[in-house]
């Protein structure tokens, strides 16, 4: 089938007209002009863009929306007090309810323009830590939820072992934890086998953080992952307290520790990197690791600012995640990265790689191809050979009224919202709305 919109977002973030996108068997096979008399699917008043990638999601946290926006008790409200509310929600999950909340989250995400989800999944066992009959029962419920919602999913299976340096897990953390790293790695292998053959579902490693894992676990996961080619995602440098604790335990900062453990390489995505030092930013660039920014969640939790200018200056690939799913709108994530960088740098058009004339092309890459690369997927670009994961945006929407065609890609990012999304395609299968 040949999809024929008014505009197609090109690989350099430019709006191209007069082109159709030919899809077959779930893939894009050509980007070309329609031939005379050829049957096509006209998409008038639409711009076709690659499906956006939510590279870091905790789907069940969608259930906290609105519930955590008031102070509880007398103390200060911060990331750590929010975490207690999140643990309470995690504690209540069972295989059915995690499937329900995940499906609702994935449906909302797809309707907002995210066709791929990197689900960083860490609720594994029964509340007291006893495994279910199938130790991957909850992960497989999330996989089923993705299938029902029709999204592409990378299930990033998290490893968790402790509350902090030398501290056993708290009661609420027990269901996140495996007794040994070998048991965790066996679960990665069995999940990988369980989803093999489904082109929409893949698996990755997710050592949770340097706070939740001792050094031998980080090293064992690095060694195991190296042979597989699967992606590795890890939270690092989200909160100042985490950096201080890492300095006390290891005499180095979190991203330096990842490097010392063999975990920092081209297959690795560091989630947040909010408090990364200059030396750590250099390390990320040297090791060709990626960063996943989660701007709306980092704002909601009071984490701090992404060191965006430093990452762009070093050409570290940056993708985005909706993380706690407090907000599902890819364009807002991109806009936050640039506008927060403007506030910090006191100038405009900050995140501009050499050769580009503005931030829009690079921000589009962050939403699409960079996320796909962080998840080791061949999607996120409208080009032959890529998966047919696409989003049609409404050019007639008031948010884009009067905008010249050449300015539409930037206008979507700086003035648009998920309300622009009309149809979405995942592996060539179309859906409208939720
Ligand atoms: Zn996270």
């Amino acid at each position: 089938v040949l999809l024929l919109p008014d505009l197609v977002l090109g690989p350099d973030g430019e709006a191209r007209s007069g082109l159709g996108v030919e899809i077959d068997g779930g893939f894009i096979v050509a980007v070309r002009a329609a031939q005379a008399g050829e049957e096509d699917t006209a998409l008038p008043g639409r711009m076709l863009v690659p499906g956006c990638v939510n590279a870091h999601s905790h789907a069940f946290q969608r259930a906290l929306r609105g519930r955590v926006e008031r102070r509880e008790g007398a103390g200060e409200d911060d990331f750590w007090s929010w975490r207690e509310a999140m643990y309470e929600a995690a504690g209540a999950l069972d295989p059915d309810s995690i499937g329900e909340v995940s499906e609702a989250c994935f449906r909302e995400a797809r309707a907002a323009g995210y066709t791929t989800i990197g689900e960083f999944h860490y609720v594994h066992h029964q509340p007291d830590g006893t495994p279910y009959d199938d130790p991957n029962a909850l992960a497989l419920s999330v996989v089923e939820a993705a299938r029902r919602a029709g999204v592409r999913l990378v299930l990033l299976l998290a490893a968790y072992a402790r509350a902090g340096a030398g501290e056993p897990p708290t009661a609420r953390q027990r269901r996140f934890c495996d007794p040994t790293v070998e048991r965790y790695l066996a679960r990665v292998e069995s999940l990988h086998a369980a989803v093999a053959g489904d082109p929409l579902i893949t698996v990755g490693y997710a050592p949770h953080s340097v706070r939740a894992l001792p050094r031998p676990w980080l090293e064992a996961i690095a060694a195991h992952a190296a042979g597989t080619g699967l992606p590795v995602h890890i939270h690092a440098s989200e909160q100042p307290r985490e950096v201080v604790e890492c300095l006390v335990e290891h005499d180095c900062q979190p991203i330096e520790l990842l490097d010392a453990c063999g975990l920092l390489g081209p297959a690795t995505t560091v989630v947040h990197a909010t408090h990364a030092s200059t030396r750590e930013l250099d390390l990320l660039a040297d090791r060709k690791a990626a960063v996943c920014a989660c701007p709306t969640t980092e704002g909601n939790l009071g984490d701090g600012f992404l060191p965006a200018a430093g990452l762009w200056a070093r050409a570290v690939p940056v993708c985005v995640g909706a993380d706690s799913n407090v907000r599902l709108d890819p364009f807002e994530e991109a806009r936050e990265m640039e506008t927060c960088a403007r506030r910090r740098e006191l100038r405009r058009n900050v995140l501009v790689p050499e050769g580009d004339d503005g931030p829009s092309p690079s921000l589009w890459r962050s939403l699409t191809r960079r996320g796909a690369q962080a998840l080791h997927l061949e999607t996120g670009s409208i080009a032959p050979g890529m998966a047919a994961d696409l989003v049609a945006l409404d050019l007639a929407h008031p948010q884009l009224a009067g905008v010249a065609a050449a300015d539409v890609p930037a206008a979507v990012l700086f003035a648009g919202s998920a309300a622009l999304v009309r149809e979405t395609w995942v592996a060539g299968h179309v859906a409208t709305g939720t």
Side-chain angles (χ1 to χ4, degrees), residues 7-55:
L7 298 173
V8 173
L9 188 77
D12 296 318
E14 77 284 18
R16 308 166 79 191
S17 57
L19 289 175
V21 178
E22 186 179 358
I23 62 180
D24 187 28
F27 294 90
I28 297 167
V29 295
V31 182
R32 59 172 175 81
Q35 287 148 17
E38 184 180 17
E39 208 170 295
D40 57 49
T41 300
L43 295 166
R46 314 275 214 288
M47 176 165 74
L48 213 50
V49 303
C52 295
V53 176
N54 178 0

Side-chain angles (χ1 to χ4, degrees), residues 67-336:
R67 274 169 46 190
V68 287
E69 308 303 343
R70 64 179 71 86
R71 288 186 181 180
E72 303 283 351
E76 281 299 306
D77 198 355
D78 60 11
F79 172 89
W80 307 100
S81 49
W82 169 86
R83 195 177 71 160
E84 290 306 313
M86 181 271 283
Y87 281 176
E88 199 177 313
L93 294 167
D94 62 31
D96 288 337
S97 64
I98 200 172
E100 284 163 24
V101 70
S102 300
E103 180 183 350
C105 184
F106 296 154
R107 285 187 186 280
E108 184 190 351
R110 179 166 174 172
Y114 290 117
T115 53
T116 294
I117 313 289
E119 177 66 17
F120 196 111
H121 172 80
Y122 58 88
V123 187
H124 301 305
H125 306 302
Q126 297 180 54
D128 68 355
T130 309
Y132 290 97
D133 290 344
D134 181 337
N136 281 327
L138 293 182
L140 289 166
S141 276
V142 174
V143 166
E144 282 306 317
R147 286 176 174 144
R148 292 195 297 274
V151 293
R152 192 179 296 279
L153 183 82
V154 181
L155 197 301
L156 300 158
L157 197 74
Y160 209 108
R162 61 181 198 173
E167 293 172 46
T170 65
R172 284 169 151 179
Q173 291 168 336
R174 273 192 208 118
R175 65 185 318 190
F176 313 157
C177 294
D178 289 298
T180 64
V181 69
E182 289 74 24
R183 291 274 284 279
Y184 162 71
L185 293 169
R187 288 200 304 116
V188 175
E189 288 177 3
S190 79
L191 185 67
H192 192 233
V195 302
D198 184 336
L200 291 182
I201 312 287
T202 49
V203 170
Y205 298 84
H208 182 278
S209 56
V210 303
R211 168 167 49 79
L213 294 172
R215 184 167 178 151
W217 282 57
L218 296 170
E219 289 167 344
I221 294 166
H224 197 268
T228 64
L230 298 179
V232 179
H233 285 223
I234 181 165
H235 298 111
S237 292
E238 179 176 10
Q239 281 281 328
R241 183 170 123 188
E242 171 201 336
V243 176
V244 171
E245 287 174 357
C246 187
L247 281 164
V248 169
E249 185 182 9
H250 301 287
D251 207 24
C252 64
Q253 303 220 85
I255 294 168
E256 295 174 308
L257 179 65
L258 301 186
D259 191 49
C261 293
L263 259 178
L264 206 60
T268 301
T269 296
V270 172
V271 182
H272 301 302
T274 313
H275 300 282
S277 66
T278 303
R279 207 164 55 231
E280 290 180 301
L281 294 176
D282 289 341
L283 261 183
L284 288 165
D286 288 348
R287 301 293 184 259
K288 300 191 173 353
V291 165
C292 183
C294 307
T296 59
T297 291
E298 289 154 6
N300 189 274
L301 299 184
D303 286 339
F305 289 96
L306 179 75
L311 292 165
W312 256 258
R314 291 167 178 80
V316 174
V318 176
C319 57
V320 302
D323 194 353
S324 67
N325 298 299
V326 62
R327 184 88 175 97
L328 282 162
D329 186 328
F331 313 127
E332 187 170 335
E333 302 292 349
R335 184 163 57 239
E336 281 266 307

